[in-house]
Amino acid sequence: MDDELLKYVNRSSYRVRVVKSIGGSVKIPKQIAGDSGILPNHISNVLRDLRDNGVVECLNPNSKKGRLYRLSSKGLDILDNIE
């Protein structure tokens, strides 16, 4: 478990809500926005941030629409330890 990465996620309610929203499933940004209550225009920034830090993975990065996201193994560890 990466404590620094856990602290990083916990510092933002948006990051926490996105990680919880994805959970153990695969979702598109629109589903994540609906589940987390975050406006869709903020979701892409949060997902990019989490992806750059290895918390989420994009399964089809070359798609322009309908990108699929899931938690990485680090993300699943964070989900188990999130506040």
Side-chain angles (χ1 to χ4, degrees):
M1 178 68 221
D2 186 340
D3 288 336
E4 287 303 311
L5 197 53
L6 177 61
K7 289 177 188 174
Y8 164 77
V9 171
N10 277 326
R11 278 195 301 267
S12 165
S13 66
Y14 277 16
R15 289 190 288 256
V16 169
R17 286 159 51 190
V18 166
V19 168
K20 286 181 177 179
S21 169
I22 297 172
S25 56
V26 175
K27 293 187 176 181
I28 61 172
K30 186 175 181 176
Q31 290 172 310
I32 298 167
D35 293 346
S36 64
I38 298 171
L39 294 174
N41 57 329
H42 294 293
I43 288 294
S44 61
N45 291 333
V46 177
L47 285 170
R48 183 180 319 109
D49 204 24
L50 290 171
R51 188 187 66 229
D52 290 348
N53 283 282
V55 178
V56 301
E57 301 169 334
C58 181
L59 302 180
N60 54 345
N62 295 328
S63 295
K64 293 289 182 192
K65 290 197 176 242
R67 286 192 177 129
L68 300 170
Y69 289 89
R70 71 172 175 203
L71 295 180
S72 65
S73 57
K74 287 181 186 179
L76 291 169
D77 284 345
I78 287 170
L79 180 63
D80 291 339
N81 293 286
I82 215 159
E83 292 178 354

